Amino acid sequence: MHEFEPMRDKSLCEHGNFSKSCSKCKATTVLGIQREDLSGDTRRERGKRNVRYEKDGARMIAKFIDRQPEGSDNIARLAREKRLLDVLADTGVVPKVIDYKEYGNDRARLLLEEIPGTSIDHMPRKERGDFLKRQGETVVRETAQSLQKIRDQGVYVVDVNEGTFMFNEAGDGHLETRLVDFELGYDPEGGSVDELKDSFSFVKKNDFGFALAAQEGEPLTEDTALLAKCEMHRWARMMERVFIARYAKVEIPHEQSEEYAAYRARIRPIVEKTLRDRAVNSFTRIQKGQKDADRRYLDMGEDGYVEWSLKHGLEAGIDLQCVKFTFPQLCRANGVTLSEKSMDFIAKCLSLDIEERPSSFQEFINGFEQAE
């Protein structure tokens, strides 16, 4: 290196991104059309790619899906997304479908207009923090209103997460919010029984409410009324992840102390089983690796490692599932300034008692609509 050559982190490219994954470095232009691969490693492993095409200032996003040798039918899900976007075309909150094509039985492509904005999961940490300080209350309101607008058309997004919403902040502070990714969505009018089963198979994976209902012998009918409550829980969990960075110890109001203690006792077996299963899987991976750094865990044996994991993680794991009681206090502990109305509504949606959850955003957004 020459004496006056500036130092630069060699792992980063000229655009300030990791060179192996920078889409700008991989952009190519053929016949006047610029092609930019936006896919991350995780998407590629799942047989998915997102590619941006640009010509004369117009941008489109192509979602490519390859059939996987086992597991869910990704091509059927992409066709489902196309159908749902067509149903929602007049709502103004989803991208327009330009074209859909299947290449034999092994590949499909959905071509969409690119909508302006950025999803929270693609915001750099500082930018994300600044955005939420400016727009936190609006984010809660806009995401709720957008989901309700979809609901009013009889459609459920189901897979609600940090990548579902595209936010475009105007100079006057107005926040335009639109939704993407409907591969796991469902509509009773055009959806099949298999699609409903597919949606429920997905939501059950991370919703302890189903385990609690089974533990207490409460029957659950897998219909759209239940799906609505599950979708609202996923929305609230997303809000929790977005706003809560630090799970500080909080004080439970005296009038709630007995209910809180009873709730912890009810969910303890579920959390313990989950953590026990995770510890067994973790120990299996450690055994396969046989790394010197993991010798202390290997020496414990499987039973010892599981008990060690529970000793250090069970109470904290239970705390994480008690946010229906603690969400407002956790917001304050993290310096989050949401309205009492927003914090209380999110807390209700976070309940593991599925029947307690709201089934609609309408009650929550009514006050906002009246104010407008």
Side-chain angles (χ1 to χ4, degrees):
M1 179 176 287
H2 296 298
E3 184 179 356
F4 298 106
E5 185 177 347
M7 295 285 292
R8 190 177 75 193
D9 187 338
K10 292 187 177 181
S11 65
L12 301 181
C13 69
E14 61 182 304
H15 306 106
N17 302 317
F18 289 107
S19 55
K20 289 184 178 181
S21 58
C22 178
S23 61
K24 291 183 174 61
C25 285
K26 298 177 181 179
T28 57
T29 301
V30 178
L31 298 177
I33 301 175
Q34 183 174 342
R35 180 184 183 280
E36 188 177 336
D37 194 330
L38 306 177
S39 314
D41 292 340
T42 301
R43 292 191 64 82
R44 291 191 185 96
E45 289 170 4
R46 296 174 180 171
K48 299 181 178 182
R49 286 189 304 123
N50 284 359
V51 178
R52 174 189 287 135
Y53 294 101
E54 181 174 354
K55 183 177 182 180
D56 300 329
R59 288 183 168 187
M60 296 173 286
I61 297 292
K63 298 179 68 170
F64 290 94
I65 295 289
D66 293 325
R67 186 177 299 282
Q68 297 301 288
E70 56 187 32
S72 300
D73 188 344
N74 284 345
I75 293 179
R77 285 180 172 177
L78 193 67
R80 187 196 320 186
E81 178 171 14
K82 189 266 182 189
R83 188 188 76 238
L84 295 179
L85 290 176
D86 284 341
V87 170
L88 299 169
D90 294 333
T91 62
V93 295
V94 299
K96 292 181 180 178
V97 175
I98 297 172
D99 188 40
Y100 175 78
K101 185 176 182 179
E102 292 187 7
Y103 303 85
N105 295 318
D106 299 321
R107 198 179 199 203
R109 184 261 289 145
L110 178 61
L111 190 62
L112 306 169
E113 68 163 338
E114 182 179 28
I115 56 179
T118 308
S119 57
I120 287 178
D121 61 335
H122 280 86
M123 293 181 185
R125 181 177 296 180
K126 185 179 185 307
E127 179 184 328
R128 171 176 171 169
D130 293 342
F131 170 70
L132 291 172
K133 284 181 181 178
R134 290 192 310 274
Q135 298 280 14
E137 182 71 19
T138 308
V139 165
V140 176
R141 169 185 172 177
E142 286 287 323
T143 53
Q145 289 180 320
S146 297
L147 286 171
Q148 188 59 47
K149 186 173 286 190
I150 298 298
R151 292 268 192 95
D152 291 342
Q153 300 299 312
V155 175
Y156 300 85
V157 181
V158 181
D159 183 12
V160 178
N161 58 62
E162 290 86 337
T164 300
F165 304 94
M166 298 291 289
F167 299 104
N168 187 33
E169 193 173 14
D172 60 359
H174 174 72
L175 190 66
E176 181 184 45
T177 305
R178 298 172 79 178
L179 293 89
V180 295
D181 292 337
F182 285 76
E183 292 176 30
L184 281 157
Y186 180 73
D187 69 312
E189 290 295 321
S192 66
V193 172
D194 287 340
E195 287 180 356
L196 184 61
K197 288 181 178 178
D198 188 34
S199 295
F200 270 109
S201 177
F202 174 79
V203 297
K204 285 180 178 179
K205 292 177 183 178
N206 296 298
D207 191 335
F208 280 19
F210 286 90
L212 184 62
Q215 173 183 282
E216 299 183 350
E218 296 180 2
L220 295 174
T221 303
E222 294 186 0
D223 55 15
T224 53
L226 179 61
L227 191 64
K229 291 177 177 288
C230 295
E231 184 182 76
M232 301 197 67
H233 183 69
R234 288 191 61 84
W235 170 79
R237 279 292 182 189
M238 182 198 74
M239 290 297 158
E240 178 195 357
R241 291 191 299 270
V242 164
F243 289 111
I244 308 302
R246 180 174 61 91
Y247 287 84
K249 288 291 182 182
V250 298
E251 291 293 327
I252 303 299
H254 177 71
E255 62 272 16
Q256 288 186 310
S257 58
E258 289 187 13
E259 183 185 359
Y260 177 70
Y263 188 80
R264 289 184 70 91
R266 290 169 60 212
I267 68 174
R268 176 178 287 272
I270 298 165
V271 177
E272 182 173 345
K273 181 182 184 306
T274 301
L275 295 183
R276 189 178 294 276
D277 291 344
R278 288 176 183 171
V280 170
N281 292 335
S282 177
F283 188 78
T284 300
R285 290 193 296 270
I286 291 172
Q287 277 187 315
K288 289 180 180 178
Q290 291 290 324
K291 297 179 181 177
D292 290 340
D294 295 329
R295 177 52 52 190
R296 58 176 293 211
Y297 305 123
L298 290 168
D299 290 344
M300 294 179 184
E302 181 179 294
D303 290 342
Y305 179 77
V306 170
E307 293 308 311
W308 176 84
S309 299
L310 291 174
K311 178 181 177 181
H312 288 85
L314 180 55
E315 294 304 320
I318 295 172
D319 288 344
L320 290 176
Q321 300 303 323
C322 288
V323 281
K324 84 164 190 175
F325 291 93
T326 59
F327 183 73
Q329 295 96 317
L330 287 171
C331 282
R332 297 183 189 103
N334 281 267
V336 176
T337 53
L338 294 180
S339 67
E340 292 292 330
K341 178 180 179 179
S342 291
M343 291 190 294
D344 289 345
F345 187 79
I346 292 170
K348 288 179 183 178
C349 296
L350 288 168
S351 176
L352 296 188
D353 286 297
I354 295 180
E355 290 305 313
E356 288 184 358
R357 300 173 189 170
S359 58
S360 169
F361 291 98
Q362 197 59 56
E363 176 186 351
F364 174 59
I365 64 179
N366 274 344
F368 297 126
E369 293 175 342
Q370 291 168 5
E372 291 174 351

